[in-house]
Amino acid sequence: MAFDQNYIEELKDRVGLADLVGRRVKLKRQGREWSGLCPFHDEKSPSFTINEQKGFYHCFGCGAHGTAIDFVMHTEGLAFPDAMERLSASVGMVPPAPDPDAGRRQEARQRLGDVLEQATAWFEQQLAGPAGAGARSYLQGRGLDRTTIEHFRLGFAPAGGDRLKAAFLARGHTADALEEVGLVRRPDDGRESYDFFRDRVMFPIADRRGKIIAFGGRALGEARAKYLNSPESAVFDKGRTLYNLAGAREAAHQAGTIIVAEGYMDVIALHRAGVRHAVAPLGTALTEGQMAELWRLAPEPVLCFDGDAAGARAARRAGERALEALRPGRSLGFVALPTGEDPDSLLAKRGPGALRELLAAPRPLVDVLWEAALDGRNLDTPERRAGLRRDLGQLAGQIPDEAVKTYYRDHFRSRLDQLFGAARATPKFGRERRPGGPLWKDVRQTHRRYNLEREGDPREPVLLAVPLNHPEMLEDPAIFEVFCDLHLNTPVLDRLHGLIIETLATVPTLDVEHLRHNLIDEDLVDVLDAMTNRARGQFPSYVYSDASLDAARQGWDDARARHGQKDLEADLRAAEVAYGDDMSDANWARLNAVRGELDRVRRGVA
């Protein structure tokens, strides 16, 4: 008994494979893939990889290979129907019952696909023939040459009521099949069906595998709708489809990003400028399903919208819609074209280099949300300022990931303080003016609040304090990589850790004073001061700058090992619980792997 293949493909598309596997295996991003210890055999070094873009995992050690459904079947010992049910529930889908007619429906979908492919060829023929002279003139006026037209398989739907319908009925296709894929429309009053697209330049729309599933048509004459898309069908889900996705996949993989333009012609203009990794939604606001498609190809897709009010609104809507799906390493970037320009016009006026230069410097999502929140607001009363603070807090509150939510709230708070001029009461005790900043602080209060040896894991402050006092350590690529991989549980330390990494992404050597003077958040300045020679005495002597580099590195390595031991102990408890719940071979292998790694760390620390 077969299952609906379309449902299976949609389920695999919606499930984040790295997220699924990451619940059982500690994963680390390596380029555009993820790697970790294989859950199917005991190993000491990672040989298990996940390719999110292609939707499969592979182990180079034991040869395990499969999709999300295979992973659930093999790790949980489930049969195929049960694995489908488990995965479906995790993404809010309802699996269909095994259907003896699924094979027949698959054949029907294949026939519809054949109709759409033949329609694409027919539209291409019409564009090349006498009827397509006006359409060819329009495309040439937009700067498209024959190579570009052929690459995107552009065509023309001639004027008239039923030219396509007549041609396809003559080939043996049924009117029902043409209606089902949206090539003809039947009036409500019972009259004969007629061609859906008439006197329009045609843009074939393909799925991620390159199969034609729908069309977009641009009117050449007077029409109620300038652009018209096929209605949804058994093969076309508008909210999960992106124009040129199949054509952009490989280029996006190579570029490490993907560009989202507003429409068909924008994508084609970007292609002409050498930007081959561009896609577009189908005339509507970017949906959650389309964002999921984008994030499978790149961690931070770049949205390139026209430089007008409509483009700004589209950017704001996309940013707000993305909030519930944000997580570490996943966001959106934004490029606003000059006022009144779209990719096509900018390319014509300033050339490909100007367009590529803009795309290379996207603005972060947090800035777009901030500017949208301020747009048109009068902030001349305390109540209005409080309203802005409330609205920004509500935006950040939509983010489910706690770490990302915290960073957004901190960022908004800092910018609000800058905007309104943060002020505190003058302290009663010793005053210290922060260089370059307007705030006053009580030194005794600072040291009382941030006695870092007593707050949380005492090793965590050391892991930051040593490289802050010995910044040359981080010039060693191996040490810097280990430093970047630290997971700090104290929120304020985690924030400082992230800012240090961001700083070193733009400068070769860490300058602590420069870092200090550029910190907006006073809490972070206090913590930084407590870790350096300004507050000498809280940490062992090897932490401070007058200790030798060898002593500092040895002390840091020891603190890191002990800190890692704590994480491994937590992993061991989780592995023991997982094995207690499900005594599978995979859980047993995972338990043994964590035990072995913890033993090695304990021997090294002892």
Side-chain angles (χ1 to χ4, degrees):
M1 196 172 284
F3 286 84
D4 185 275
Q5 189 61 37
N6 271 10
Y7 180 86
I8 294 173
E9 293 300 323
E10 183 179 357
L11 177 61
K12 288 190 292 188
D13 288 340
R14 290 200 188 184
V15 172
L17 186 55
D19 287 341
L20 176 67
V21 177
R23 297 168 195 163
R24 291 178 174 267
V25 179
K26 268 198 168 182
L27 297 175
K28 179 180 179 181
R29 181 180 284 279
Q30 292 190 337
R32 297 178 184 87
E33 295 186 341
W34 298 83
S35 68
L37 296 175
C38 179
F40 303 112
H41 78 287
D42 192 8
E43 61 178 4
K44 297 180 181 179
S45 58
S47 61
F48 184 80
T49 63
I50 296 170
N51 189 314
E52 189 88 80
Q53 178 187 355
K54 297 179 180 178
F56 66 74
Y57 61 84
H58 182 79
C59 178
F60 293 94
C62 68
H65 182 95
T67 66
I69 297 174
D70 298 312
F71 187 81
V72 172
M73 289 172 62
H74 294 140
T75 56
E76 301 187 24
L78 299 177
F80 184 79
D82 297 326
M84 283 187 59
E85 184 175 352
R86 179 74 58 86
L87 281 176
S88 296
S90 71
V91 293
M93 295 175 66
V94 179
D99 187 355
D101 294 330
R104 178 182 56 78
R105 283 203 300 273
Q106 181 63 24
E107 291 177 3
R109 280 191 292 269
Q110 181 62 48
R111 287 195 296 273
L112 296 179
D114 292 341
V115 171
L116 290 162
E117 174 58 37
Q118 291 181 38
T120 302
W122 190 82
F123 289 136
E124 288 178 299
Q125 291 168 3
Q126 300 305 306
L127 179 63
R136 291 196 303 273
S137 177
Y138 166 76
L139 293 173
Q140 289 164 3
R142 297 292 298 266
L144 275 64
D145 57 20
R146 172 181 279 185
T147 301
T148 303
I149 291 171
E150 291 178 350
H151 176 83
F152 287 95
R153 301 194 67 185
L154 303 186
F156 175 63
D162 61 354
R163 294 183 63 177
L164 179 142
K165 176 185 173 183
F168 275 65
L169 290 179
R171 296 182 184 185
H173 297 291
T174 66
D176 287 343
L178 296 174
E179 186 177 346
E180 190 170 353
V181 293
L183 289 171
V184 302
R185 168 174 284 181
R186 187 178 301 278
D188 295 335
D189 59 11
R191 288 180 292 124
E192 283 293 314
S193 59
Y194 56 88
D195 290 353
F196 184 66
F197 296 102
R198 292 163 295 173
D199 196 23
R200 290 178 180 268
V201 174
M202 299 300 291
F203 301 83
I205 300 168
D207 64 13
R208 70 174 60 83
R209 292 174 287 276
K211 295 180 179 179
I212 305 301
I213 57 175
F215 296 96
R218 200 271 188 198
L220 289 180
E222 293 296 325
R224 181 180 301 176
K226 182 178 178 181
Y227 280 94
L228 189 64
N229 291 319
S230 297
E232 294 198 352
S233 69
V235 294
F236 176 45
D237 181 349
K238 185 176 179 180
R240 297 189 63 82
T241 304
L242 291 159
Y243 178 66
N244 195 45
L245 180 61
R249 285 170 68 91
E250 184 59 34
H253 181 73
Q254 294 174 359
T257 187
I258 188 164
I259 308 298
V260 185
E262 288 197 41
Y264 309 118
M265 289 302 297
D266 295 327
V267 168
I268 295 173
L270 288 165
H271 180 90
R272 289 167 51 217
V275 180
R276 306 300 168 88
H277 50 292
V279 298
L282 305 180
T284 59
L286 201 61
T287 68
E288 289 85 350
Q290 289 166 336
M291 289 183 196
E293 293 283 0
L294 294 168
W295 278 318
R296 288 190 179 90
L297 294 175
E300 292 191 15
V302 175
L303 276 56
C304 176
F305 293 138
D306 295 350
D308 55 18
R313 287 194 300 272
R316 183 180 68 250
R317 287 197 303 268
E320 292 174 353
R321 189 165 284 177
L323 287 172
E324 293 185 2
L326 298 184
R327 67 185 189 195
R330 173 192 280 185
S331 189
L332 296 173
F334 294 82
V335 168
L337 298 179
T339 302
E341 302 286 3
D342 59 26
D344 208 10
S345 63
L346 186 64
L347 178 63
K349 292 179 182 178
R350 297 173 54 186
L355 190 54
R356 290 196 294 267
E357 184 179 344
L358 280 173
L359 295 174
R363 297 164 58 244
L365 170 58
V366 70
D367 285 356
V368 171
L369 294 173
W370 167 263
E371 291 171 9
L374 262 66
D375 186 36
R377 283 185 101 124
N378 188 338
L379 300 172
D380 59 352
T381 69
E383 294 82 4
R384 289 168 177 168
R385 295 181 180 188
L388 173 62
R389 187 178 295 271
R390 176 204 61 208
D391 292 348
L392 290 168
Q394 290 175 349
L395 281 176
Q398 295 178 44
I399 303 172
D401 184 273
E402 290 300 323
V404 177
K405 182 190 299 183
T406 297
Y407 279 116
Y408 266 72
R409 283 177 170 164
D410 289 348
H411 184 91
F412 288 147
R413 183 176 67 244
S414 296
R415 295 189 74 162
L416 286 167
D417 288 347
Q418 282 185 307
L419 179 65
F420 297 142
R424 297 184 182 180
T426 301
K428 195 175 202 178
F429 305 105
R431 297 176 183 177
E432 180 184 358
R433 177 83 175 189
R434 183 198 302 180
L439 303 180
W440 297 85
K441 61 187 178 184
D442 179 350
V443 178
R444 298 197 308 178
Q445 177 75 4
T446 293
H447 291 170
R448 191 161 56 244
R449 289 171 58 203
Y450 294 104
N451 187 339
L452 294 171
E453 285 190 314
R454 297 180 183 175
E455 293 195 8
D457 183 345
R459 288 172 287 271
E460 291 199 347
V462 171
L463 293 175
L464 296 188
V466 172
L468 284 169
N469 289 296
H470 300 269
E472 63 271 26
M473 275 180 54
L474 298 180
E475 296 177 22
D476 184 329
I479 293 179
F480 182 61
E481 181 178 358
V482 174
F483 179 80
C484 289
D485 286 340
L486 292 175
H487 297 284
L488 304 180
N489 296 313
T490 307
V492 70
L493 297 181
D494 184 55
R495 285 157 50 204
L496 182 58
H497 176 240
L499 289 171
I500 293 171
I501 294 172
E502 290 175 12
T503 301
L504 286 171
T506 59
V507 297
T509 304
L510 183 65
D511 184 330
V512 176
E513 281 303 308
H514 177 78
L515 174 65
R516 181 178 185 275
H517 293 165
N518 281 278
L519 289 175
I520 299 173
D521 190 324
E522 188 170 355
D523 289 351
L524 292 179
V525 175
D526 294 341
V527 171
L528 185 67
D529 288 351
M531 288 183 170
T532 59
N533 292 337
R534 293 171 178 269
R536 188 177 181 89
Q538 289 200 51
F539 303 114
S541 59
Y542 66 77
V543 166
Y544 299 104
S545 58
D546 54 359
S548 70
L549 182 59
D550 287 342
R553 289 184 60 168
Q554 180 61 46
W556 188 79
D557 284 339
D558 180 64
R560 180 177 58 84
R562 293 181 182 277
H563 183 261
Q565 177 180 335
K566 182 179 179 181
D567 288 342
L568 283 171
E569 287 169 348
D571 289 346
L572 179 60
R573 290 191 294 272
E576 289 171 342
V577 171
Y579 184 67
D581 292 339
D582 178 11
M583 295 185 180
S584 64
D585 291 341
N587 283 343
W588 176 247
R590 175 64 183 155
L591 179 58
N592 282 333
V594 175
R595 282 174 174 168
E597 183 65 22
L598 183 57
D599 286 343
R600 285 189 291 275
V601 169
R602 283 171 172 165
R603 288 196 299 271
V605 172

PDB file of all heavy atoms in Angstrom, residues 286-305:
ATOM      1  N   LEU A 286       6.539  37.928   1.358  1.00  0.00           N
ATOM      2  CA  LEU A 286       7.304  36.718   1.621  1.00  0.00           C
ATOM      3  C   LEU A 286       6.646  35.929   2.754  1.00  0.00           C
ATOM      4  O   LEU A 286       6.392  36.457   3.829  1.00  0.00           O
ATOM      5  CB  LEU A 286       8.739  37.098   2.002  1.00  0.00           C
ATOM      6  CG  LEU A 286       9.826  36.058   1.864  1.00  0.00           C
ATOM      7  CD1 LEU A 286       9.982  35.603   0.417  1.00  0.00           C
ATOM      8  CD2 LEU A 286      11.146  36.611   2.386  1.00  0.00           C
ATOM      9  N   THR A 287       6.361  34.651   2.512  1.00  0.00           N
ATOM     10  CA  THR A 287       5.661  33.825   3.495  1.00  0.00           C
ATOM     11  C   THR A 287       6.643  33.035   4.351  1.00  0.00           C
ATOM     12  O   THR A 287       7.824  32.895   4.009  1.00  0.00           O
ATOM     13  CB  THR A 287       4.721  32.839   2.796  1.00  0.00           C
ATOM     14  OG1 THR A 287       5.507  31.868   2.078  1.00  0.00           O
ATOM     15  CG2 THR A 287       3.786  33.545   1.824  1.00  0.00           C
ATOM     16  N   GLU A 288       6.125  32.468   5.450  1.00  0.00           N
ATOM     17  CA  GLU A 288       6.955  31.620   6.301  1.00  0.00           C
ATOM     18  C   GLU A 288       7.472  30.408   5.533  1.00  0.00           C
ATOM     19  O   GLU A 288       8.621  29.985   5.722  1.00  0.00           O
ATOM     20  CB  GLU A 288       6.156  31.158   7.526  1.00  0.00           C
ATOM     21  CG  GLU A 288       5.859  32.244   8.539  1.00  0.00           C
ATOM     22  CD  GLU A 288       4.608  33.037   8.200  1.00  0.00           C
ATOM     23  OE1 GLU A 288       4.075  32.873   7.074  1.00  0.00           O
ATOM     24  OE2 GLU A 288       4.148  33.823   9.063  1.00  0.00           O
ATOM     25  N   GLY A 289       6.635  29.841   4.667  1.00  0.00           N
ATOM     26  CA  GLY A 289       7.074  28.693   3.885  1.00  0.00           C
ATOM     27  C   GLY A 289       8.204  29.045   2.934  1.00  0.00           C
ATOM     28  O   GLY A 289       9.141  28.262   2.747  1.00  0.00           O
ATOM     29  N   GLN A 290       8.138  30.229   2.325  1.00  0.00           N
ATOM     30  CA  GLN A 290       9.217  30.659   1.434  1.00  0.00           C
ATOM     31  C   GLN A 290      10.492  30.946   2.214  1.00  0.00           C
ATOM     32  O   GLN A 290      11.596  30.655   1.741  1.00  0.00           O
ATOM     33  CB  GLN A 290       8.757  31.886   0.649  1.00  0.00           C
ATOM     34  CG  GLN A 290       7.695  31.558  -0.390  1.00  0.00           C
ATOM     35  CD  GLN A 290       6.994  32.787  -0.935  1.00  0.00           C
ATOM     36  OE1 GLN A 290       6.943  33.839  -0.277  1.00  0.00           O
ATOM     37  NE2 GLN A 290       6.432  32.678  -2.123  1.00  0.00           N
ATOM     38  N   MET A 291      10.347  31.518   3.425  1.00  0.00           N
ATOM     39  CA  MET A 291      11.535  31.746   4.249  1.00  0.00           C
ATOM     40  C   MET A 291      12.208  30.428   4.611  1.00  0.00           C
ATOM     41  O   MET A 291      13.442  30.325   4.642  1.00  0.00           O
ATOM     42  CB  MET A 291      11.157  32.510   5.518  1.00  0.00           C
ATOM     43  CG  MET A 291      10.793  33.964   5.287  1.00  0.00           C
ATOM     44  SD  MET A 291      10.450  34.803   6.846  1.00  0.00           S
ATOM     45  CE  MET A 291       9.598  36.258   6.252  1.00  0.00           C
ATOM     46  N   ALA A 292      11.403  29.408   4.908  1.00  0.00           N
ATOM     47  CA  ALA A 292      11.977  28.099   5.222  1.00  0.00           C
ATOM     48  C   ALA A 292      12.784  27.577   4.042  1.00  0.00           C
ATOM     49  O   ALA A 292      13.869  26.990   4.222  1.00  0.00           O
ATOM     50  CB  ALA A 292      10.867  27.115   5.595  1.00  0.00           C
ATOM     51  N   GLU A 293      12.289  27.778   2.825  1.00  0.00           N
ATOM     52  CA  GLU A 293      13.035  27.379   1.632  1.00  0.00           C
ATOM     53  C   GLU A 293      14.363  28.128   1.563  1.00  0.00           C
ATOM     54  O   GLU A 293      15.414  27.554   1.252  1.00  0.00           O
ATOM     55  CB  GLU A 293      12.211  27.663   0.375  1.00  0.00           C
ATOM     56  CG  GLU A 293      10.967  26.812   0.219  1.00  0.00           C
ATOM     57  CD  GLU A 293      11.294  25.407  -0.266  1.00  0.00           C
ATOM     58  OE1 GLU A 293      12.484  25.107  -0.472  1.00  0.00           O
ATOM     59  OE2 GLU A 293      10.355  24.619  -0.416  1.00  0.00           O
ATOM     60  N   LEU A 294      14.333  29.425   1.839  1.00  0.00           N
ATOM     61  CA  LEU A 294      15.540  30.243   1.763  1.00  0.00           C
ATOM     62  C   LEU A 294      16.573  29.808   2.788  1.00  0.00           C
ATOM     63  O   LEU A 294      17.772  29.719   2.488  1.00  0.00           O
ATOM     64  CB  LEU A 294      15.183  31.718   1.977  1.00  0.00           C
ATOM     65  CG  LEU A 294      14.310  32.355   0.896  1.00  0.00           C
ATOM     66  CD1 LEU A 294      13.793  33.715   1.371  1.00  0.00           C
ATOM     67  CD2 LEU A 294      15.086  32.510  -0.403  1.00  0.00           C
ATOM     68  N   TRP A 295      16.131  29.542   4.016  1.00  0.00           N
ATOM     69  CA  TRP A 295      17.068  29.169   5.074  1.00  0.00           C
ATOM     70  C   TRP A 295      17.692  27.797   4.838  1.00  0.00           C
ATOM     71  O   TRP A 295      18.712  27.473   5.437  1.00  0.00           O
ATOM     72  CB  TRP A 295      16.377  29.229   6.429  1.00  0.00           C
ATOM     73  CG  TRP A 295      16.325  30.622   6.980  1.00  0.00           C
ATOM     74  CD1 TRP A 295      17.317  31.552   6.965  1.00  0.00           C
ATOM     75  CD2 TRP A 295      15.225  31.244   7.657  1.00  0.00           C
ATOM     76  NE1 TRP A 295      16.910  32.713   7.563  1.00  0.00           N
ATOM     77  CE2 TRP A 295      15.627  32.552   8.013  1.00  0.00           C
ATOM     78  CE3 TRP A 295      13.940  30.815   7.993  1.00  0.00           C
ATOM     79  CZ2 TRP A 295      14.798  33.439   8.685  1.00  0.00           C
ATOM     80  CZ3 TRP A 295      13.117  31.698   8.666  1.00  0.00           C
ATOM     81  CH2 TRP A 295      13.544  32.991   9.008  1.00  0.00           C
ATOM     82  N   ARG A 296      17.090  26.982   3.996  1.00  0.00           N
ATOM     83  CA  ARG A 296      17.741  25.729   3.645  1.00  0.00           C
ATOM     84  C   ARG A 296      18.965  25.966   2.767  1.00  0.00           C
ATOM     85  O   ARG A 296      19.853  25.127   2.699  1.00  0.00           O
ATOM     86  CB  ARG A 296      16.758  24.807   2.922  1.00  0.00           C
ATOM     87  CG  ARG A 296      15.698  24.222   3.827  1.00  0.00           C
ATOM     88  CD  ARG A 296      14.904  23.133   3.130  1.00  0.00           C
ATOM     89  NE  ARG A 296      13.931  22.579   4.028  1.00  0.00           N
ATOM     90  CZ  ARG A 296      12.691  23.025   4.175  1.00  0.00           C
ATOM     91  NH1 ARG A 296      12.276  24.024   3.425  1.00  0.00           N
ATOM     92  NH2 ARG A 296      11.856  22.488   5.041  1.00  0.00           N
ATOM     93  N   LEU A 297      18.995  27.109   2.103  1.00  0.00           N
ATOM     94  CA  LEU A 297      20.097  27.411   1.202  1.00  0.00           C
ATOM     95  C   LEU A 297      21.149  28.320   1.825  1.00  0.00           C
ATOM     96  O   LEU A 297      22.316  28.268   1.431  1.00  0.00           O
ATOM     97  CB  LEU A 297      19.561  28.081  -0.071  1.00  0.00           C
ATOM     98  CG  LEU A 297      18.679  27.209  -0.961  1.00  0.00           C
ATOM     99  CD1 LEU A 297      18.123  28.026  -2.112  1.00  0.00           C
ATOM    100  CD2 LEU A 297      19.461  26.022  -1.497  1.00  0.00           C
ATOM    101  N   ALA A 298      20.763  29.158   2.765  1.00  0.00           N
ATOM    102  CA  ALA A 298      21.716  30.103   3.350  1.00  0.00           C
ATOM    103  C   ALA A 298      21.224  30.537   4.717  1.00  0.00           C
ATOM    104  O   ALA A 298      20.015  30.673   4.930  1.00  0.00           O
ATOM    105  CB  ALA A 298      21.867  31.335   2.445  1.00  0.00           C
ATOM    106  N   PRO A 299      22.145  30.782   5.666  1.00  0.00           N
ATOM    107  CA  PRO A 299      21.713  31.180   7.013  1.00  0.00           C
ATOM    108  C   PRO A 299      21.152  32.594   7.077  1.00  0.00           C
ATOM    109  O   PRO A 299      20.355  32.894   7.950  1.00  0.00           O
ATOM    110  CB  PRO A 299      23.006  31.062   7.847  1.00  0.00           C
ATOM    111  CG  PRO A 299      24.107  31.181   6.848  1.00  0.00           C
ATOM    112  CD  PRO A 299      23.598  30.578   5.585  1.00  0.00           C
ATOM    113  N   GLU A 300      21.577  33.491   6.162  1.00  0.00           N
ATOM    114  CA  GLU A 300      21.081  34.867   6.191  1.00  0.00           C
ATOM    115  C   GLU A 300      20.761  35.335   4.772  1.00  0.00           C
ATOM    116  O   GLU A 300      21.536  36.068   4.153  1.00  0.00           O
ATOM    117  CB  GLU A 300      22.099  35.805   6.845  1.00  0.00           C
ATOM    118  CG  GLU A 300      22.283  35.553   8.334  1.00  0.00           C
ATOM    119  CD  GLU A 300      23.087  36.640   9.023  1.00  0.00           C
ATOM    120  OE1 GLU A 300      23.261  37.726   8.424  1.00  0.00           O
ATOM    121  OE2 GLU A 300      23.544  36.412  10.147  1.00  0.00           O
ATOM    122  N   PRO A 301      19.621  34.933   4.222  1.00  0.00           N
ATOM    123  CA  PRO A 301      19.214  35.433   2.906  1.00  0.00           C
ATOM    124  C   PRO A 301      19.145  36.956   2.913  1.00  0.00           C
ATOM    125  O   PRO A 301      18.845  37.582   3.937  1.00  0.00           O
ATOM    126  CB  PRO A 301      17.821  34.816   2.719  1.00  0.00           C
ATOM    127  CG  PRO A 301      17.791  33.630   3.632  1.00  0.00           C
ATOM    128  CD  PRO A 301      18.631  33.998   4.801  1.00  0.00           C
ATOM    129  N   VAL A 302      19.419  37.546   1.761  1.00  0.00           N
ATOM    130  CA  VAL A 302      19.428  39.005   1.633  1.00  0.00           C
ATOM    131  C   VAL A 302      18.214  39.432   0.815  1.00  0.00           C
ATOM    132  O   VAL A 302      18.050  39.014  -0.337  1.00  0.00           O
ATOM    133  CB  VAL A 302      20.721  39.492   0.957  1.00  0.00           C
ATOM    134  CG1 VAL A 302      20.665  41.001   0.722  1.00  0.00           C
ATOM    135  CG2 VAL A 302      21.924  39.139   1.815  1.00  0.00           C
ATOM    136  N   LEU A 303      17.372  40.271   1.400  1.00  0.00           N
ATOM    137  CA  LEU A 303      16.168  40.757   0.727  1.00  0.00           C
ATOM    138  C   LEU A 303      16.490  42.087   0.057  1.00  0.00           C
ATOM    139  O   LEU A 303      16.911  43.037   0.727  1.00  0.00           O
ATOM    140  CB  LEU A 303      15.033  40.926   1.727  1.00  0.00           C
ATOM    141  CG  LEU A 303      14.210  39.666   2.069  1.00  0.00           C
ATOM    142  CD1 LEU A 303      15.091  38.544   2.588  1.00  0.00           C
ATOM    143  CD2 LEU A 303      13.127  39.991   3.072  1.00  0.00           C
ATOM    144  N   CYS A 304      16.327  42.140  -1.253  1.00  0.00           N
ATOM    145  CA  CYS A 304      16.644  43.333  -2.038  1.00  0.00           C
ATOM    146  C   CYS A 304      15.347  43.903  -2.586  1.00  0.00           C
ATOM    147  O   CYS A 304      14.763  43.345  -3.526  1.00  0.00           O
ATOM    148  CB  CYS A 304      17.604  42.972  -3.177  1.00  0.00           C
ATOM    149  SG  CYS A 304      17.986  44.341  -4.280  1.00  0.00           S
ATOM    150  N   PHE A 305      14.874  45.010  -1.992  1.00  0.00           N
ATOM    151  CA  PHE A 305      13.606  45.578  -2.377  1.00  0.00           C
ATOM    152  C   PHE A 305      13.802  46.951  -3.013  1.00  0.00           C
ATOM    153  O   PHE A 305      14.816  47.613  -2.801  1.00  0.00           O
ATOM    154  CB  PHE A 305      12.679  45.707  -1.167  1.00  0.00           C
ATOM    155  CG  PHE A 305      12.248  44.382  -0.608  1.00  0.00           C
ATOM    156  CD1 PHE A 305      12.208  44.167   0.760  1.00  0.00           C
ATOM    157  CD2 PHE A 305      11.891  43.337  -1.445  1.00  0.00           C
ATOM    158  CE1 PHE A 305      11.800  42.946   1.273  1.00  0.00           C
ATOM    159  CE2 PHE A 305      11.489  42.117  -0.942  1.00  0.00           C
ATOM    160  CZ  PHE A 305      11.440  41.914   0.413  1.00  0.00           C
TER     161      PHE A 305
END
